[in-house]
């Protein structure tokens, strides 16, 4: 009896079934890991687009006439603070982010503070390009002129 059971494991049918089962498991693992990777990439892209939209949509919070406690300012600062979380792996965006932060610091020199608008444009343009937000026909003047 025991010998007949062992002989089954040496038959071509057993090995065909074992190879088929192994291939099925490998294909299922590959499909699942691919789907999870695609989901993670899609979520990161969605968050990047949302961050860019918040930066653009609330940029008027930086206008001198804006109230410092306004909800818009809070939304802009939240998006600005979120840039490293969603663009931290993209050096050009992080460089633009750091340059913009330097220009809006209270202790920044007048020369650096005068560059704040240009640096904000650079941050918006670079982050939009990386997120796939189409700003091809949006001029710098349109970005700088905001509705408040």
């Amino acid at each position: 009896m025991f010998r007949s059971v062992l002989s089954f494991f040496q038959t071509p049918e057993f090995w065909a079934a074992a190879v088929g089962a192994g291939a099925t498991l490998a294909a299922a693992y590959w499909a699942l890991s691919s789907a999870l990777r695609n989901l993670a990439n899609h979520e990161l892209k969605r968050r990047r687009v949302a961050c860019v939209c918040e930066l653009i949509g609330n940029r008027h919070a930086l206008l001198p006439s804006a109230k410092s406690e306004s909800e818009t300012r809070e939304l802009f600062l939240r998006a600005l603070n979120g840039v490293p979380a969603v663009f931290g792996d993209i050096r050009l965006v992080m460089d633009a982010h750091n340059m913009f932060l330097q220009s809006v610091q209270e202790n920044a020199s007048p020369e650096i503070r005068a560059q704040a608008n240009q640096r904000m444009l650079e941050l918006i343009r670079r982050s939009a390009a990386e997120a796939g937000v189409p700003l091809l026909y949006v001029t710098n003047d349109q970005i700088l002129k905001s509705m408040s």
Side-chain angles (χ1 to χ4, degrees):
M1 172 82 171
F2 185 66
R3 190 170 280 215
S4 65
V5 171
L6 285 180
S7 65
F8 170 74
F9 291 111
Q10 298 173 354
T11 63
E13 292 85 7
F14 168 76
W15 289 109
V19 168
T24 300
L25 288 174
Y29 174 78
W30 177 82
L32 183 62
S33 65
S34 177
L36 290 175
R37 193 171 32 257
N38 287 341
L39 181 64
N41 289 340
H42 178 73
E43 178 64 16
L44 180 60
K45 180 171 176 51
R46 187 188 70 75
R47 288 179 183 248
R48 285 178 174 173
V49 168
C51 182
V52 171
C53 289
E54 288 294 321
L55 286 172
I56 292 172
N58 296 300
R59 67 193 183 279
H60 62 275
L62 298 182
L63 293 174
S65 60
K67 296 178 184 150
S68 60
E69 306 87 32
S70 73
E71 180 182 343
T72 303
R73 183 175 174 81
E74 183 179 323
L75 290 172
F76 180 82
L77 292 176
R78 185 178 303 151
L80 188 63
N81 289 329
V83 167
V86 293
F87 292 104
D89 60 335
I90 303 170
R91 182 178 251 346
L92 288 175
V93 175
M94 290 308 302
D95 288 345
H97 178 260
N98 292 335
M99 295 297 285
F100 176 69
L101 288 180
Q102 287 176 3
S103 67
V104 294
Q105 296 295 321
E106 288 183 16
N107 60 354
S109 69
E111 297 83 27
I112 291 178
R113 288 182 76 78
Q115 298 173 6
N117 283 346
Q118 206 51 40
R119 290 178 176 185
M120 181 180 66
L121 280 171
E122 189 72 20
L123 173 60
I124 288 174
R125 291 249 179 235
R126 285 185 180 179
S127 58
E130 292 296 334
V133 175
L135 296 180
L136 185 62
Y137 298 111
V138 179
T139 66
N140 288 345
D141 286 341
Q142 289 171 320
I143 293 174
L144 289 175
K145 290 180 188 173
S146 62
M147 305 297 280
S148 58

